[in-house]
Amino acid sequence: MAILGYLILTIYVIALILITLYCLLQFHLLYHYKRSHRLHQDEQPAKQERTDADWPLVTVQLPIYNEQYVIERLINSIAALDYPKDKLQIHILDDSTDETVPIVDKAVAHYQSQGFDMQAIRREKRSGFKAGALKDAMPLAKGAFIAIFDADFVPRPGFLKATIPHFDNPKVGVVQTRWEHLNRDYSLITQLQAIQLNVHFRVEQQGRRGGQYLLQFNGTAGVWRSTTIEDAGGWEADTLTEDLDLSIRAQLKGWEITYLESFGSPAELPAEMNGLKSQQFRWMKGGAETARKMLPAIWRSNLRLGQKLHATGHLLSSSVFVFVFSAGVFSVPLVFLLGPLGINTKIFATFLAGLLATIAVYYVANVEAESTKQTRLRTLVKFVVLFPLFLALSMGLSFHNSVAVIQGYLGKKTAFVRTPKFNIQTIRDSLKNKQYISGKLTFTTVLEGLLALYFLGGVIGGITAHNSSFLIFHAMLALGYGAIFIFTLRHLGLK
């Protein structure tokens, strides 16, 4: 029994150590984020007076699949870009099989009649999913630069004039803008997603830029130099995160990614749990697949040690969910084993460094960077209320995301499951009777419900055993898994 107890304790401690290392790496990015703002204040290229003739030809690619609720909104926003019409080529890469097709055809015909170079490009077979669509469309792109938008985005009119001047630096191969949230206040689910994304698009991206580490094109709301795509080997469909994959390959070729924190591109957040879970699965599994593919090349490269370490942390970041899941599962038996083993629970206080680092990172991204002097107090109060709920939701997603990560590392191939969008922006918008919502109860969801009961048992066990060491941890895990389970079931019935 003692051997089993020490084995469980060892696994738990190892998981805590790895979680803490990840948190400290994030804190290091926070240091570079603050330092970058202090030294550079979001440097912009020197403004030049440009006539319409001075702007380069840009191809805008819109890869879509069954987006009947949002595609017209996207096409209209692209047509409204403040850019010379004769320097704009618009390609709608339409793999749709539903009512989206006639909506696209009608919009294309309308804008063609107004003089736009707009075309719907369709393939007989949806091979390679999004990466395949982008790759197949490359020979048709005439622009020196290629802007890419997913269906859930509504780019601002000034997008191209804000990004294209950065390519005056011949080393720049990609310009990425910050994601904003059209429907952040729609529900608790969207508010919690925004908290996470703000960290990535504030602290992580800008921190990597400030520390001169490898950055990431986020798949949308950015612009590529055409020759950069070709030089890096083009789009490849062997991972579910083709954007991250190509970003790494381009930077290993010597190209730079410029990140514009100061320019936002609004997008719609997933408004229902099943869409959020499909997005998370794709991102987590794709990150693991890209790590498996690109880490050997990173460590063989001439990058600085710091760049290699941060690139490794970046590519392995999805693995933190495996560590969170492991720590949670093995902490429950420890409620009853720590006493007999004679372990003083005070030793676990050293791991509070990771929690404090996480709080600092999320505070800066969601309070300092998001508020003004007039709204700072309100933003802070909102953060204090939502942050514990965000941690609970993240813990509740740890099993689902761990499955994705393990599949990615094992090389198990699955289809690219897109995240459905519904043109949900305000509280008045409804998900009722929408197409694309999954009505299938999965085994993973059943296990999430059972895990909620398991951690609730941990709470009860801690109370009865007079061991409060894991009480808050288990309560948050029970809340997280329970919320994921209930929201999933609730959203299955929206049809």
Side-chain angles (χ1 to χ4, degrees):
M1 192 67 180
I3 294 175
L4 178 62
Y6 282 114
L7 178 61
I8 291 172
L9 178 63
T10 300
I11 295 173
Y12 175 74
V13 170
I14 290 174
L16 281 187
I17 291 172
L18 293 172
I19 293 169
T20 302
L21 289 175
Y22 170 78
C23 295
L24 293 178
L25 200 63
Q26 293 291 93
F27 190 75
H28 190 236
L29 289 178
L30 176 62
Y31 162 76
H32 283 294
Y33 173 81
K34 300 288 285 185
R35 182 173 180 270
S36 173
H37 275 263
R38 185 173 66 253
L39 296 179
H40 305 295
Q41 294 297 313
D42 238 6
E43 291 178 346
Q44 298 292 324
K47 289 187 177 180
Q48 301 179 18
E49 293 296 328
R50 300 179 191 237
T51 66
D52 284 0
D54 293 327
W55 292 99
L57 179 63
V58 175
T59 298
V60 180
Q61 294 180 333
L62 312 177
I64 66 166
Y65 174 69
N66 293 350
E67 301 289 1
Q68 60 177 301
Y69 300 111
V70 295
I71 184 55
E72 189 173 10
R73 179 182 73 182
L74 172 63
I75 294 174
N76 290 341
S77 67
I78 297 301
L81 287 171
D82 178 19
Y83 205 75
K85 191 184 298 184
D86 63 331
K87 296 298 182 72
L88 205 55
Q89 180 189 40
I90 303 170
H91 283 167
I92 305 165
L93 315 183
D94 186 13
D95 284 342
S96 300
T97 58
D98 68 351
E99 294 86 348
T100 306
V101 174
I103 296 174
V104 169
D105 289 341
K106 181 180 178 181
V108 169
H110 170 72
Y111 284 111
Q112 284 179 343
S113 69
Q114 295 189 9
F116 282 88
D117 181 3
M118 183 181 290
Q119 179 183 0
I121 299 174
R122 296 191 172 98
R123 306 183 294 166
E124 292 184 2
K125 186 178 179 182
R126 193 178 169 231
S127 59
F129 306 104
K130 179 181 175 181
L134 293 169
K135 181 177 182 178
D136 290 348
M138 277 298 295
L140 303 175
K142 296 183 293 186
F145 305 98
I146 297 178
I148 300 172
F149 288 98
D150 286 347
D152 46 338
F153 277 75
V154 186
R156 301 186 186 283
F159 174 83
L160 289 177
K161 288 188 175 180
T163 54
I164 295 300
H166 290 271
F167 289 102
D168 290 346
N169 179 350
K171 295 181 180 179
V172 172
V174 186
V175 177
Q176 173 68 51
T177 62
R178 177 174 53 83
W179 293 7
E180 292 180 338
H181 320 298
L182 286 169
N183 59 334
R184 174 171 58 183
D185 296 324
Y186 175 74
S187 69
L188 178 62
I189 292 176
T190 55
Q191 290 182 72
L192 299 184
Q193 289 176 72
I195 288 175
Q196 173 60 60
L197 288 171
N198 286 344
V199 168
H200 176 70
F201 285 98
R202 293 288 191 186
V203 175
E204 291 182 357
Q205 285 283 60
Q206 187 70 7
R208 290 184 182 116
R209 179 190 177 197
Q212 297 182 330
Y213 304 130
L214 301 192
L215 277 80
Q216 175 183 357
F217 168 64
N218 295 103
T220 176
V223 185
W224 281 84
R225 193 187 297 269
S226 300
T227 52
T228 301
I229 298 176
E230 296 169 2
D231 185 47
W235 297 103
E236 295 180 356
D238 53 350
T239 75
L240 292 179
T241 46
E242 72 292 324
D243 45 6
L244 177 59
D245 172 30
L246 186 58
S247 299
I248 299 297
R249 287 188 278 123
Q251 289 170 103
L252 290 179
K253 281 281 189 174
W255 294 98
E256 297 178 1
I257 295 180
T258 292
Y259 176 64
L260 303 184
E261 185 190 0
S262 60
F263 191 91
S265 295
E268 180 181 330
L269 294 162
E272 52 89 25
M273 183 56 69
N274 296 288
L276 169 61
K277 288 168 79 172
S278 70
Q279 184 185 73
Q280 286 284 307
F281 193 92
R282 188 174 69 250
W283 287 353
M284 298 304 111
K285 182 176 181 180
E289 289 175 330
T290 305
R292 184 177 183 222
K293 175 182 178 180
M294 296 306 304
L295 278 178
I298 286 171
W299 282 95
R300 288 195 303 265
S301 72
N302 294 323
L303 295 174
R304 292 182 288 108
L305 178 60
Q307 290 176 311
K308 291 179 180 180
L309 289 173
H310 269 280
T312 300
H314 185 182
L315 291 178
L316 295 179
S317 60
S318 59
S319 302
V320 74
F321 286 102
V322 178
F323 309 145
V324 170
F325 175 69
S326 301
V329 169
F330 287 99
S331 65
V332 173
L334 287 178
V335 170
F336 308 99
L337 292 173
L338 288 180
L341 291 176
I343 303 296
N344 189 336
T345 58
K346 291 181 179 180
I347 64 171
F348 297 132
T350 57
F351 297 110
L352 286 176
L355 176 61
L356 294 175
T358 299
I359 292 173
V361 168
Y362 279 80
Y363 169 81
V364 169
N366 289 283
V367 179
E368 277 193 8
E370 289 288 296
S371 65
T372 63
K373 291 182 180 179
Q374 289 74 28
T375 62
R376 174 66 64 90
L377 179 60
R378 182 179 177 182
T379 306
L380 176 60
V381 170
K382 186 176 180 180
F383 174 75
V384 170
V385 173
L386 291 179
F387 183 66
L389 297 178
F390 163 76
L391 287 180
L393 183 74
S394 298
M395 292 176 186
L397 282 169
S398 62
F399 172 65
H400 173 272
N401 288 353
S402 292
V403 172
V405 171
I406 292 170
Q407 285 188 8
Y409 287 136
L410 293 178
K412 181 179 179 180
K413 296 300 178 183
T414 52
F416 184 106
V417 180
R418 89 202 215 301
T419 305
K421 278 75 70 175
F422 304 103
N423 197 10
I424 297 293
Q425 298 188 42
T426 70
I427 195 67
R428 294 185 297 274
D429 296 324
S430 175
L431 286 163
K432 287 285 187 181
N433 300 316
K434 295 285 189 180
Q435 299 293 321
Y436 311 141
I437 293 178
S438 171
K440 184 179 179 182
L441 178 64
T442 66
F443 184 61
T444 298
T445 299
V446 174
L447 286 177
E448 286 165 344
L450 294 175
L451 283 166
L453 296 177
Y454 176 72
F455 291 114
L456 181 59
V459 172
I460 296 171
I463 294 173
T464 57
H466 304 289
N467 183 352
S468 60
S469 304
F470 302 99
L471 204 58
I472 295 176
F473 185 42
H474 290 160
M476 293 185 71
L477 284 162
L479 174 62
Y481 278 107
I484 296 292
F485 178 71
I486 291 170
F487 276 118
T488 301
L489 292 184
R490 180 182 174 188
H491 292 160
L492 286 176
L494 286 172
K495 283 190 176 183

